[in-house]
């Protein structure tokens, strides 16, 4: 159960777009279209923002979007806002287990 | 509103045991699979265990297999995690999470802190 690979940090100015990558293997991201993304602000529990590669739960702004290509998934935040500053984690199902990425800190400049 | 409330965390010596609980409300607990996930201080998320809605399927992560046991009581809307042979590296906030559509963790509790130290 190897962790998915994410960049440690990304940053952008308000209004810009940022994209976070999540690289897996044939055991997880490649085989299963079950990548989800979670937002975690300091001192709080994670919150689901994208599931099934590119579906948003009710209440999540449409500036959050997801995609997948080969062995990587991506989360894009368009029109970055100050409240989007947080850690973001990807996750994938992988044959009787789940795996998370190491997390990416999004900084709004 | 779906609510998950963990309890049972605390300080325990290495080699000791602890039992965590997760009380669920505002949804039909008996129809949902449930997870335990932890987060060591300053670190990322680590999936630990999953139990099917009726307990028919149970999975564990490699780091806790053989030491931790997940269970549930659908009559009391409660999820459990029995943790034995605890190690300092088990120090973390432990979250319970509901298994949502598309193999997600769609709702999370606020977490309970477990500290393993002598």
């Amino acid at each position: 159960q190897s962790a998915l690979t994410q960049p440690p940090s990304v940053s952008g100015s308000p209004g810009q777009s940022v994209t976070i990558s999540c690289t897996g293997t044939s055991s997880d991201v490649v085989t299963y279209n079950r990548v989800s993304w979670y937002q975690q602000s300091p001192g709080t529990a994670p919150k689901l923002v994208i599931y099934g590669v590119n579906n948003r739960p009710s209440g999540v702004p449409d500036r959050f979007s997801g995609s997948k290509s080969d062995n990587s998934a991506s989360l894009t935040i368009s029109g970055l806002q100050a409240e989007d500053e947080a850690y973001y984690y990807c996750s994938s199902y992988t044959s009787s287990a789940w795996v998370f990425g190491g997390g990416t800190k999004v900084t709004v400049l | 509103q779906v609510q998950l409330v963990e309890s049972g965390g605390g300080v325990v010596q290495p080699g000791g045991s602890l039992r965590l609980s997760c009380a669920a409300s505002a949804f039909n607990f008996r129809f949902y699979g449930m997870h335990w996930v932890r987060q060591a201080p300053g670190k990322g998320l680590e999936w630990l265990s999953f139990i099917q809605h009726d307990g028919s399927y149970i999975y564990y992560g490699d780091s806790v297999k053989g030491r931790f046991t997940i269970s549930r009581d659908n009559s009391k809307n409660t999820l459990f995690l029995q943790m034995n042979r605890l190690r300092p590296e088990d120090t973390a906030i432990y979250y319970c999470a509901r298994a949502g559509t598309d193999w997600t963790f769609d709702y999370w509790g606020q977490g309970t802190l477990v500290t393993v130290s002598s």
Side-chain angles (χ1 to χ4, degrees):
Chain A
Q1 299 161 4
S2 301
L4 305 174
T5 301
Q6 297 181 233
S9 63
V10 298
S11 62
S13 299
Q16 290 186 330
S17 294
V18 295
T19 296
I20 305 167
S21 61
C22 171
T23 302
T25 69
S26 59
S27 298
D28 39 61
V29 173
V30 174
T31 300
Y32 302 99
N33 273 332
R34 298 291 185 264
V35 177
S36 52
W37 291 89
Y38 302 85
Q39 176 193 60
Q40 187 180 34
S41 298
T44 68
K47 171 190 171 185
L48 176 66
V49 293
I50 291 288
Y51 68 94
V53 177
N54 189 22
N55 296 285
R56 281 177 288 105
S58 174
V60 174
D62 60 6
R63 62 178 182 274
F64 289 88
S65 63
S67 63
K68 179 189 163 187
S69 176
D70 297 328
N71 67 332
S72 288
S74 296
L75 173 70
T76 297
I77 309 174
S78 305
L80 198 62
Q81 298 186 6
E83 67 208 52
D84 299 331
E85 185 162 291
Y87 281 89
Y88 292 82
Y89 296 89
C90 61
S91 176
S92 176
Y93 174 73
T94 168
S95 184
S96 305
W98 281 257
V99 64
F100 285 98
T104 299
K105 174 70 184 301
V106 171
T107 301
V108 181
L109 301 172
Chain B
Q1 176 73 323
V2 169
Q3 190 167 18
L4 299 169
V5 179
E6 301 92 339
S7 61
V11 180
V12 60
Q13 292 188 339
S17 298
L18 214 53
R19 189 194 197 202
L20 304 184
S21 299
C22 169
S25 60
F27 68 100
N28 285 320
F29 179 74
R30 69 185 63 198
F31 294 142
Y32 286 86
M34 296 293 296
H35 295 275
W36 285 101
V37 177
R38 72 183 177 187
Q39 186 170 34
K43 302 297 184 181
L45 302 172
E46 180 187 12
W47 173 79
L48 299 180
S49 185
F50 166 82
I51 183 168
Q52 186 67 292
H53 64 93
D54 58 359
S56 57
Y57 290 95
I58 288 176
Y59 307 130
Y60 295 100
D62 290 341
S63 63
V64 302
K65 200 172 296 183
R67 298 189 300 127
F68 290 11
T69 301
I70 192 171
S71 62
R72 63 190 297 158
D73 185 341
N74 285 346
S75 69
K76 296 182 178 179
N77 292 344
T78 304
L79 175 73
F80 302 101
L81 185 68
Q82 177 66 43
M83 305 187 296
N84 298 330
R85 306 200 315 266
L86 284 161
R87 307 164 179 165
E89 55 264 37
D90 294 319
T91 294
I93 296 173
Y94 285 72
Y95 296 100
C96 62
R98 193 179 80 169
T101 186
D102 277 347
W103 305 104
T104 59
F105 309 84
D106 65 351
Y107 288 94
W108 299 65
Q110 85 290 347
T112 187
L113 178 62
V114 172
T115 302
V116 184
S117 173
S118 55

